[in-house]
């Protein structure tokens, strides 16, 4: 399973969110693909107020303040 993680440099909430996602990754097998929203104008416009964003199969799983329980439940299916 591939999980897309949208963030941007110098985003403290993104650093915390990635850390939380990696903790979930210890319990569920998936690959994280990192996307810097500043490198794509369309993605930047879509997610600039939401980052960090976790996406699976084109569907946003969680954004902003990420938490283990929500991610684990959504990715464990």
């Amino acid at each position: 399973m591939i999980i897309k993680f949208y963030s941007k440099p110098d985003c403290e909430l993104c650093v915390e969110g990635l850390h939380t996602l990696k903790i979930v990754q210890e319990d569920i097998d998936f690959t994280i693909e990192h996307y810097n929203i500043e490198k794509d104008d369309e993605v930047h416009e879509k997610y600039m107020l939401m980052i960090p964003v976790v996406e699976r199969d084109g569907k946003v799983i969680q954004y902003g303040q990420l938490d283990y329980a929500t991610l684990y439940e959504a990715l464990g299916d």
Side-chain angles (χ1 to χ4, degrees):
M1 163 174 36
I2 297 175
I3 301 304
K4 294 181 179 180
F5 181 78
Y6 295 91
S7 65
K8 70 176 188 174
D10 302 321
C11 168
E12 198 59 40
L13 192 58
C14 299
V15 171
E16 292 173 20
L18 182 58
H19 179 72
T20 302
L21 188 59
K22 286 184 176 184
I23 291 172
V24 175
Q25 190 179 37
E26 292 175 4
D27 297 324
I28 300 173
D29 185 37
F30 59 87
T31 301
I32 301 171
E33 288 185 351
H34 297 259
Y35 292 89
N36 178 351
I37 67 166
E38 293 182 338
K39 292 188 176 189
D40 184 321
D41 290 338
E42 186 177 319
V43 173
H44 185 265
E45 185 175 324
K46 182 177 179 180
Y47 289 139
M48 69 180 174
L49 298 177
M50 297 171 65
I51 60 168
V53 176
V54 176
E55 192 179 88
R56 175 184 181 188
D57 300 327
K59 180 182 174 193
V60 173
I61 300 298
Q62 193 174 32
Y63 64 91
Q65 186 71 39
L66 306 182
D67 69 90
Y68 178 90
T70 302
L71 291 171
Y72 184 86
E73 184 178 319
L75 301 177
D77 295 339

